[in-house]
Amino acid sequence: MIRVGIAALTFLTILSLIAPHSVSQLAVAQSESYTPGQKIDKEYAPFARSFLESHCVDCHGATEPEGGLSLNDLGPVDEVNAGIWEAVWAQVTLKEMPPPEMDQPAVVQRLQFSDWIADELSRVMREQGGFHAPHDPEKGNFVDHQLLFGSLPDGITLKPTASPARLWRVTPQEHITRLNELINTEPEYDPEKPGLRTHGDVVPTNHGGELKLYFGTDRIIYWQGGTVAYATAVKSVPAVLSTARAHGLENYPNFYTVNSAEATQILSIAEDIIRYMAEGPLSIAEPYQISDDIGSVRNRMKGDIRGLPTSLVYSTQVVRPLTPVYDLMSEEGVDDQRLQAAVDYLFEALTFRPPTDKESQQYLSIAKQSIETLGKEEGAVLGLSPIFLDRDALFRPELAKAGSPDQYGRVMLQDWELGLAVNHALRYIKPDEQLHKAIVEGRMRARDDVKREVERMLADDSIRKPRILQFFRDYFDYDRGGYICKDSRALAATGVSNRGTAHYNAMFNATASTDRLIELVLAEDKDVLKQLLTTNKVVATKADNVYFGRRHSKEETRASIAAAKQAEQEALQAETEALENAQQQLAKLKASLEENTEPNDAQQKDLKALQQAVIKAQNRLDAAKKKWKKKTFNHNVAEVDLTGPELFARVSRRSFGNGSMKPERILAEVPEGQRLGILTHPAWLVSHSDAMDNHAIRRGRWIRERLLGGGIPDVPITVDAMLPDEPDKTLRERMRVTTETYCWTCHEKMDPLGLPFEMFNHAGLFRETEQDEPVDTTGAIIDSGDPKLDGEVANAIEMIERIAESERAEQVFVRHAFRFWMGRNETLNDAPVLQEAHRAYKDNGGSMNALIVSLLTSDAFLYRTRSTH
């Protein structure tokens, strides 16, 4: 022991002569403790520069640096070199630098260096918007997985976790669902048809993939003009802050705000909604269109009225909610009590809580002044509209102003803040009666209160919980297929229809079907992640017989065409022969009759019968020709016959015209050996494709990040991330450019995970050939963090089966659930929360409900830290 100590001391002494700062700083780092999130109060030269010299400049020195990146002269963080420092931060945080074969810094030293860079980048980039990478959900995996779920090394001290006090901008889905509650009455839950749209469900996209709120569709009893009339004559509003999310989580508090243009749009929407609340369809239609006598209205529909408001007929039945706004507007004059009731009703409907006396009086005063200036009708509409712009109508506060901080500076949410946080975690409409009562009675102030309400709501199927489904949409990213614009020729080559919007409609339908499949798995609540990855079930429409089919090879396509022609020839030949036989018999009888100038009655009867037989035979031949001319064959696909019990999926409120989504579905089984779980369904496959082909890199990155918990640095701006345009080459062959040394460091972690999905084409059809050769579906799991997972795989199914059994995949799933429900990335201080959540999931047989209860009763969800700035 003494000899070792002397040897180590001698080594450090020698090293100190070469790099004194490195040795002194290394000794300090090894001896001091580290608490995640603490301020790293260290100088550049003795700390950061010594780290670079000890671990980085050997590879990134002045001469022939790796990747062309020299850190030899890298100075303190400033606006000029911020890009380089950001790259260093990513590489060090992900433990890509220094390389595995080099000496590694101590865990505490690496964490401190990473935090120091992040602090410095935040400081120098403050005027440019700040350094947000550590808060980006796509960078959540940069936090070391082993430190989160394993034992921590000496020197790391965790502090009890909390989330920052904040304001959450309500999501587009939540915002438009709130507004929908004001003008539409949704059907109550039907336990016999649990898949149908129900009160409390999110407003779904229409068959064009748009998220809109429609006025009066529940009263339309007749329309003229098809989908054009539906698209343009029914008054509708788009979701404010509607996003074009590519992939991943999007509901973080700091992602959205409200600018002046959005506020103007919200006010315009508010006026439309208030008018409809007061007048119903009369606010958007002529009086004669409100009738139960369709005929009387149709008589007035003259000429081409497609797309005009006069193309619709509304029933006289009142369906919308009749609220205090209706009461206010339906009587003459202005009654202060009715005006107050309208103000208070709108406030609670939009903010989900009753107004304080001060808030009520402020909005009442605004409404009164507006009515005095503009008169009742216009003044009330304008005077009530500002409530739609109230802070709490657009944001959900978690400021934790009430309560005293504990010894760690944390304040627990309580009352309305806590109650609405719980409500928002599951729902898009205001709290139900029991939760509302618990908040008002002061029974939402403790962990047990939260557990009581969450467990109650999770157990009640009639209480819709669309936020849970939204998590799975964000996690799996299966809902983007309808938005992937496909090249028409490339789409036709896949074997599916490229006519009109057929493919895009199929993809929006596929999203609704996958939603329903997830709900079925959640209803069983056992091994949820594993079941979703390995289920052989599919919720399907008729179009899925093609999408879940197998793409023919060229030989099979030619054989199918030949077989169809042969069948046509045989069918027409049979009808032709029947016609010729009838014609011959008729000719023979006519010849016989010519010899007998006076045919008897029997002969006359036979003549008429044969003439009729010829006519019928000719008609059958003509009909057969017409039938075969119209008959369509998909010679490119071996369709499957998906059969099973009927069920329903949630689609848009009403369906008008061709191409609209219908709720009817079946629960079927996919062809054995060709599919396994959601990742092999067209909804997911197309969502992770591009216009021309599969996207193996994107798919591989998804596996790496969402199942294995790995992180991928951003593509350097100097890299032209494009594959060569070589139509005669397979995707695997074109991806050879990613194997170049500079690229392969990252692509080695993605490409082998994405290429096994080449067993499907970019429309999601199973295939066995590509470019007339057997398709190569091999791949590998490399450096996953779990040695039992690593190794080669023959195809996507083998890879999915291996990962589905992995505890690591469960833990990564828990990490993403944490981000979704906490609205932030995890830190090392959250390790106990994550471990407990995973334990709850696992101990309860893979229960999503148990996982949610654990997360929503955790300190990260319950406590807030107030800003000191």
Side-chain angles (χ1 to χ4, degrees), residues 348 352-354 414-421 431 436 439-440:
E348 184 162 358
F352 290 4
R353 65 171 177 81
Q414 57 181 302
D415 298 331
W416 281 105
E417 282 193 331
L418 182 56
L420 292 182
H436 185 281
I439 298 170
V440 172

Side-chain angles (χ1 to χ4, degrees), residues 26 427 468 526 554 574 646 751 787:
L26 180 61
R427 312 185 71 198
I468 298 177
K526 294 295 183 184
K554 285 189 175 181
E646 294 183 352
D751 297 6

Side-chain angles (χ1 to χ4, degrees), residues 363-436:
Y363 283 117
L364 178 63
S365 176
I366 293 172
K368 278 187 173 182
Q369 292 177 18
S370 180
I371 291 172
E372 289 173 2
T373 304
L374 301 175
K376 178 183 176 181
E377 184 175 342
E378 294 300 321
V381 171
L382 186 63
L384 293 173
S385 294
I387 303 175
F388 287 72
L389 287 177
D390 188 87
R391 183 201 69 179
D392 290 5
L394 302 175
F395 297 86
R396 185 171 53 79
E398 293 182 354
L399 301 176
K401 291 184 177 180
S404 301
D406 64 10
Q407 59 181 316
Y408 306 105
R410 309 178 308 164
V411 181
M412 185 174 178
L413 297 176
Q414 57 181 302
D415 298 331
W416 281 105
E417 282 193 331
L418 182 56
L420 292 182
V422 169
N423 187 72
H424 169 79
L426 303 176
R427 312 185 71 198
Y428 287 143
I429 61 176
K430 64 183 181 180
D432 71 320
E433 184 178 347
Q434 292 189 53
L435 178 57
H436 185 281

